[in-house]
Amino acid sequence: MKRPGPLLTLLAGLVLALFLLTLNATTGTKSASSYQEQSPGPTPARGSASPTPSPAPSRSRPADADYAGRTDDDAAAIAVSVRGGRAIAYFCDGRTQESWLKGDVEDDGALRLTGGHGAKLEGTLEDGKKIDGTVEVGGTRHAFTADRAKKPSGLWRATATVRSAKIDGGWIVLKDGSQVGVVTRDGEPSPAPRIDPGTGAVTIDGQRLTARPATP
């Protein structure tokens, strides 16, 4: 019996290859590269950020202004000048007692001023319209109210040397035009002469001086 020749073997191989190709096309087999990538799922929603708390409102610095009034017992006058968060005050009975005080003004309007010989003032600015408080001078405590002043009302001061004496004068001009003041000569107090509220001119011991609005 004869063995199949090489040509017959080659033909058989071709037939088998064609059969396999036909079978692959019929069954619809796909290669790995033909798969489409799956679309990503929905992105998880992020938690909403906590709202940033609003900053607490800050108080503004009290406005620059002048205040003048009398003590509740009508024993003396008092004036306060506020500038840039600082304040000076002048307490005067118009005869022999006076005191200059100074200190800070808090953002809430509180004043705590101090002066010589233990003098002190505590008060509160009320909406920039007035100051209510107490002042202690010479061991005596006085309640007072000082309303916001309009020029020429307010606090005035003049310093100079006259006939070798050191002069220091303080005046409070009230809203009704009245004046309360003391002049010290080398530390000795006495009632002050009137000033011209329009110019601040005043004559002390024959010397023409000029009083000016006093500020911190």
Side-chain angles (χ1 to χ4, degrees), residues 84-95:
R86 297 280 296 170
I88 61 170
Y90 183 54
F91 171 93
C92 175
D93 69 358
R95 296 181 298 276

Side-chain angles (χ1 to χ4, degrees), residues 8 16 36 39 41 54 61-63 71 77 85 99 101 115 119 133 139 153 164 171 192 205 208 212-213:
L8 183 60
L16 178 61
Q36 296 180 351
S39 59
S54 301
R61 175 185 290 176
T71 58
S99 181
L101 307 97
S153 297
S164 301
W171 291 263
D205 297 342
R208 184 86 163 180
R212 304 187 186 281

Side-chain angles (χ1 to χ4, degrees), residues 8-174:
L8 183 60
T9 302
L10 179 59
L11 289 174
L14 290 173
V15 171
L16 178 61
L18 289 173
F19 174 77
L20 292 174
L21 289 173
T22 303
L23 180 63
N24 184 51
T26 303
T27 58
T29 304
K30 296 181 180 180
S31 65
S33 62
S34 66
Y35 285 98
Q36 296 180 351
E37 294 182 0
Q38 294 184 355
S39 59
T43 303
R46 294 181 178 180
S48 58
S50 300
T52 303
S54 301
S58 59
R59 293 179 179 269
S60 59
R61 175 185 290 176
D64 295 350
D66 299 309
Y67 302 84
R70 296 192 65 88
T71 58
D72 291 357
D73 57 12
D74 205 32
I78 189 162
V80 181
S81 178
V82 175
R83 297 290 187 277
R86 297 280 296 170
I88 61 170
Y90 183 54
F91 171 93
C92 175
D93 69 358
R95 296 181 298 276
T96 59
Q97 191 174 46
E98 66 170 359
S99 181
W100 292 92
L101 307 97
K102 62 182 179 179
D104 295 325
V105 183
E106 303 296 334
D107 289 345
D108 61 0
L111 296 91
R112 294 177 179 84
L113 314 183
T114 58
H117 307 288
K120 60 183 179 180
L121 180 150
E122 294 183 355
T124 303
L125 275 167
E126 301 289 347
D127 299 324
K129 296 180 180 179
K130 64 179 181 178
I131 298 175
D132 285 326
T134 59
V135 59
E136 185 175 332
V137 176
T140 303
R141 188 181 181 91
H142 308 267
F144 73 90
T145 297
D147 295 324
R148 188 160 182 166
K150 295 181 180 180
K151 289 184 178 180
S153 297
L155 178 57
W156 297 74
R157 191 172 194 177
T159 58
T161 299
V162 178
R163 299 177 183 176
S164 301
K166 184 178 180 181
I167 302 295
D168 188 356
W171 291 263
I172 298 171
V173 179
L174 300 170

